[in-house]
Amino acid sequence: MTILRTLCGMLALCALLLAPHTLHAQAIESLRAAETAQRALPLAPRLPRVAFLENRTLVAAELSPAGDAVAYLREQKDSRALWLLPTCDGNPHMLVGSTQAEQVMWSRDGRWLFLRAPRALTIVGIDGRSGVRVPLGGSERRRVIKLDLSQPAAVLLGERVAAGKGERWPAVRWRIVRMDAYGKRTVLREDTRWIHDIALDAQGRVVALTRFEGGHDALYRLHTDATLREVLRLRPMQRLDLLAARADGSLLMTGNPGDGFDGNFRRVLRLDANDRLQTLHQDPRGEADLDDVVIDPRTLQPLAASYRSTVAATYGIGDAQATVAAIAAKFPGRDIGLQAGSGPSAHWLVRERAANLRDPRWYLYDPRNGDLRRILDDPGITANSPPESNLARKLAVSYVASDGLRVHGFVLLPPGVDAAHAPLIAQVHGGPINHFRAGYDGTAQFLANRGYVVFQSNFRGSTGHGRAYTFSSNGDYGNGRVQQDIVEGVRWLLAQGIGDKARVGIVGHSFGGYSTLLGLTFQPELFKVGVAGSPPADLGWAMRWLVESGEQGDLPDRSLRQTLRALSLDGGDPATYARLHAQSPRVNVARMRRPLLIMAGSADRTVAIRDVTDYVARLRTLGQPVSLLVEPGGGHAPVDPIPREAYLFAMETLLQRHLGGPPPEPAGPRLRAYLRANLRLAGPEF
């Protein structure tokens, strides 16, 4: 077995070494063919801005364990309600008329629903009975960990144990509690360390857990006397989620533990009773981390795995391969999400998504006869969704950076547009511990609808493509290798005849906003205009503030600091701070002469508003062109409809003035009033 694994690893390495040239040629050919096909389509009509604000009418939908009902959260006017739809042609009925819940979870016995809201967990019976309500957050730091599948109707909570007035984190203890539908609490474990996740046996006893050890995460098995035995020690950016404990002593998990090739991609795993790891499924393309796994609610066997960092694909596992393949065949070229009922005759819930499908579509699949029936499609739910033909095709691409690394990304090509003469927008994702996926992106589709080609780079340092890809940044997040990936991707597209080199812009939010400032500062010959949402002007300062004072400054597991340190982004390290500070847009503010729009929230606890306003003040002092839109009381990104529409309107106004395109749709009375009150600095574009 060892020889076979070594041989497989060598073959994979050879494929990686030989692949770039072949893949590069294939990427160019696919891109040109797609551009030709899109150019031949009718020009899409210009859609209203509000069409690109993703629909929140249907908030969540969950299939019952038996596959006999779908519970869903639906917004109507100013309220959100919980509904129940029988899967056998019954009519839906309302269970709860008003709730703030964002997630629905079924109890194992299918008789109770757990509704999780930002600040409370409410339990409701499917017969309309009211269960208990428990607050979340607060001084107890109470959080929902997962459902307790060892019990008919219970949930697992994590909470802080009071440790005395004025005591600091080292004296704090953390408790794992089982709470049933009637509010009965059972303490399962109390620990000095923050516990991420636990696994229970069929009797409801804790048999394994993952916890933070001060400098790393680790997986432990529990002995019968509750003592711990370390099984796996994880490195930064390695993670484990415990799915189930089996009767044979094995653990079903997802994650990316291990060294070298084995510890790269996130996958479906089994840890046997002798602590040997077995990969049950990983991306057959060798490109993407696992995004989602489907588990049989009765047997706890893995049924399907989904990957979405490049081409969205879902595969069956074991005996479910034929069923999953049959479902996937009904949705060629689409991204499907699955939920399975228990047993061979139970319905499956299917969610259909695509880059040009703003709102998911929902179906029930009957494995007995292959019938597929669309549900949750009444006009109140599907209203105002843009026609797919009016939205842009999103193509997965890859290009070879100047140092030989293959870089991943996406390009959105507007229908009916000659891409060679269209303005090109580089859209940069936030994080940077994040990545673009194959699905719908409202901002990108809005820009494409206005005639822009949109390029989304999953530059090195992005997640979703394996741990090695994330760490290949080597901490070079200033005006260095990471930014160079974005710049080289834009130049690669221009060399393929995609985009007008005289009309190139850059936009992004959070880290994407930081990249926008870098692009305008250090590559003004390429980027003619930029839009930055909540941008840190000095990444070293911003990362230090985030872990000391910002939203994540009081995380009890302190894992963010460890991650930033591993990625060479720890602003608390003097050398890291000095390097990022020297390359920051703030220090190099005199070089920034391109038109810029900055948007931010006054109560942002991820990027300090004073970091944003300080940078804007420096630009104004130097007489540089800048506009500033601030959402009063807003967080890191706008949530409410008017601030979100203002974001799109301001972006479109600036880009249209400097890159061309149709004039913006006039602002309505509410939007005009919002802009008058909150556009703190208005450049000539406004």
Side-chain angles (χ1 to χ4, degrees):
M1 187 68 176
T2 301
I3 295 174
L4 180 59
R5 285 182 59 81
T6 302
L7 178 60
C8 289
M10 292 174 63
L11 291 173
L13 179 60
C14 290
L16 289 174
L17 292 173
L18 295 173
H21 300 294
T22 302
L23 292 170
H24 186 58
Q26 292 175 347
I28 292 174
E29 183 179 348
S30 296
L31 178 62
R32 289 175 176 167
E35 194 280 328
T36 300
Q38 290 297 99
R39 182 164 22 102
L41 295 174
L43 184 67
R46 188 163 59 133
L47 301 174
R49 279 184 302 273
V50 294
F52 299 94
L53 304 180
E54 294 182 48
N55 187 17
R56 293 286 291 170
T57 302
L58 193 63
V59 179
E62 293 292 326
L63 183 68
S64 67
D68 57 355
V70 176
Y72 59 98
L73 294 168
R74 177 176 178 174
E75 287 191 358
Q76 291 176 281
K77 295 184 179 179
D78 296 325
S79 65
R80 183 177 299 172
L82 172 67
W83 291 74
L84 199 64
L85 172 68
T87 58
C88 296
D89 298 322
N91 294 319
H93 63 278
M94 185 188 297
L95 281 180
V96 177
S98 179
T99 177
Q100 297 298 313
E102 298 176 347
Q103 182 185 16
V104 181
M105 299 178 288
W106 284 88
S107 64
R108 193 196 71 184
D109 63 9
R111 297 171 55 198
W112 296 88
L113 291 161
F114 297 85
L115 308 181
R116 180 160 62 179
R119 297 188 179 182
L121 176 72
T122 305
I123 307 174
V124 179
I126 62 170
D127 56 2
R129 287 177 295 167
S130 296
V132 298
R133 181 181 184 276
V134 58
L136 300 177
S139 60
E140 296 87 3
R141 299 298 187 92
R142 186 175 294 115
R143 74 193 199 280
V144 177
I145 297 177
K146 61 172 62 170
L147 285 174
D148 183 352
L149 296 178
S150 71
Q151 307 296 309
V155 68
L156 299 173
L157 304 173
E159 55 190 30
R160 180 184 180 216
V161 180
K165 187 175 180 180
E167 294 189 7
R168 299 293 292 172
W169 290 121
V172 169
R173 297 183 67 83
W174 301 96
R175 180 179 288 165
I176 304 299
V177 177
R178 171 187 295 130
M179 189 181 73
D180 70 14
Y182 301 98
K184 179 182 177 182
R185 291 166 50 93
T186 305
V187 176
L188 301 182
R189 183 170 180 84
E190 194 170 297
D191 205 300
T192 58
R193 301 287 190 183
W194 171 271
I195 298 174
H196 291 288
D197 199 3
I198 64 173
L200 308 178
D201 64 13
Q203 288 72 47
R205 298 172 298 204
V206 180
V207 296
L209 60 85
T210 58
R211 71 177 189 179
F212 183 62
E213 293 297 337
H216 64 276
D217 289 335
L219 170 67
Y220 292 89
R221 289 190 186 269
L222 271 71
H223 297 294
T224 54
D225 61 357
T227 58
L228 299 175
R229 176 172 60 85
E230 184 178 299
V231 177
L232 291 171
R233 178 170 295 202
L234 304 182
R235 297 182 177 186
M237 299 299 292
Q238 288 185 333
R239 179 180 140 200
L240 279 179
D241 290 318
L242 301 173
L243 300 178
R246 302 260 181 77
D248 62 1
S250 64
L251 298 173
L252 179 65
M253 312 179 296
T254 64
N256 58 343
D259 298 323
F261 186 80
D262 287 338
N264 192 11
F265 288 104
R266 184 168 170 81
R267 57 207 191 277
V268 186
L269 298 163
R270 177 179 178 268
L271 184 75
D272 71 15
N274 296 315
D275 298 336
R276 291 174 300 199
L277 272 175
Q278 174 191 4
T279 296
L280 301 182
H281 205 278
Q282 63 183 10
D283 180 21
R285 298 167 60 92
E287 294 180 337
D289 284 313
L290 176 74
D291 192 66
D292 191 24
V293 62
V294 181
I295 303 296
D296 187 299
R298 176 177 56 88
T299 67
L300 304 182
Q301 292 285 343
L303 301 176
S306 297
Y307 306 85
R308 298 185 172 95
S309 301
T310 52
V311 177
T314 297
Y315 306 91
I317 302 175
D319 294 340
Q321 290 183 65
T323 300
V324 174
I327 296 173
K330 296 178 179 292
F331 300 94
R334 310 295 256 186
D335 175 14
I336 58 170
L338 302 175
Q339 297 177 38
S342 181
S345 61
H347 284 88
W348 289 53
L349 181 63
V350 183
R351 179 185 58 197
E352 176 193 9
R353 296 187 296 190
N356 57 353
L357 188 63
R358 188 191 71 175
D359 306 314
R361 294 172 181 157
W362 298 88
Y363 304 83
L364 285 170
Y365 176 77
D366 190 337
R368 295 169 297 184
N369 52 27
D371 285 348
L372 190 72
R373 175 166 59 93
R374 189 172 176 187
I375 59 172
L376 307 178
D377 60 343
D378 67 72
I381 292 177
T382 61
N384 302 319
S385 187
E388 293 178 62
S389 60
N390 292 345
L391 300 183
R393 180 180 177 187
K394 188 174 185 178
L395 183 69
V397 297
S398 64
Y399 54 99
V400 179
S402 57
D403 64 352
L405 181 74
R406 181 181 171 220
V407 180
H408 301 279
F410 297 96
V411 174
L412 283 86
L413 299 171
V417 170
D418 181 359
H421 298 96
L424 172 63
I425 302 296
Q427 182 189 17
V428 186
H429 68 68
I433 309 169
N434 200 351
H435 63 281
F436 287 114
R437 293 166 175 81
Y440 179 83
D441 184 304
T443 299
Q445 287 289 357
F446 170 74
L447 292 173
N449 184 253
R450 270 50 181 169
Y452 299 99
V453 173
V454 182
F455 169 56
Q456 300 177 327
S457 174
N458 277 337
F459 46 83
R460 74 189 71 197
S462 301
T463 54
H465 296 283
R467 185 173 177 271
Y469 192 82
T470 300
F471 279 93
S472 64
S473 63
N474 293 317
D476 200 2
Y477 288 96
N479 181 37
R481 187 61 258 183
V482 170
Q483 185 72 7
Q484 197 173 343
D485 279 354
I486 299 165
V487 171
E488 290 178 357
V490 172
R491 295 194 189 281
W492 175 76
L493 281 175
L494 293 171
Q496 310 315 314
I498 305 295
D500 179 352
K501 65 180 180 180
R503 295 190 294 160
V504 179
I506 182 169
V507 304
H509 196 91
S510 193
F511 179 83
Y514 168 73
S515 175
T516 296
L517 302 186
L518 288 175
L520 298 183
T521 301
F522 295 108
Q523 293 90 30
E525 78 289 350
L526 178 63
F527 299 115
K528 307 304 189 294
V529 62
V531 178
S534 301
D538 184 336
L539 194 60
W541 185 92
M543 293 299 97
R544 184 172 64 188
W545 181 85
L546 181 64
V547 297
E548 292 178 355
S549 306
E551 183 178 45
Q552 304 192 38
D554 57 357
L555 283 179
D557 65 358
R558 301 298 193 200
S559 58
L560 177 65
R561 185 183 294 277
Q562 303 298 328
T563 299
L564 294 178
R565 185 171 299 160
L567 292 171
S568 299
L569 279 172
D570 181 11
D573 174 64
T576 299
Y577 180 90
R579 172 175 54 84
L580 292 174
H581 179 68
Q583 298 182 22
S584 69
R586 173 184 288 144
V587 170
N588 296 278
V589 65
R591 301 178 62 171
M592 216 301 291
R593 299 181 181 276
R594 290 297 189 186
L596 170 66
L597 165 67
I598 291 181
M599 295 180 277
S602 68
D604 190 346
R605 295 194 65 233
T606 299
V607 172
I609 186 63
R610 68 175 182 267
D611 185 14
V612 175
T613 55
D614 172 80
Y615 178 70
V616 170
R618 292 169 187 259
L619 287 174
R620 290 284 291 174
T621 299
L622 294 171
Q624 310 291 37
V626 61
S627 298
L628 175 65
L629 177 65
V630 177
E631 179 186 3
H636 190 50
V639 175
D640 294 332
I642 291 297
R644 290 165 65 201
E645 186 183 358
Y647 199 116
L648 296 182
F649 175 83
M651 176 186 296
E652 181 181 18
T653 299
L654 189 81
L655 295 179
Q656 189 273 335
R657 176 68 67 91
H658 297 282
L659 300 182
E665 171 193 354
R670 291 183 63 195
L671 180 56
R672 286 200 306 271
Y674 179 88
L675 292 169
R676 278 197 300 268
N678 301 306
L679 194 60
R680 305 290 180 85
L681 291 175
E685 300 85 4
F686 298 93

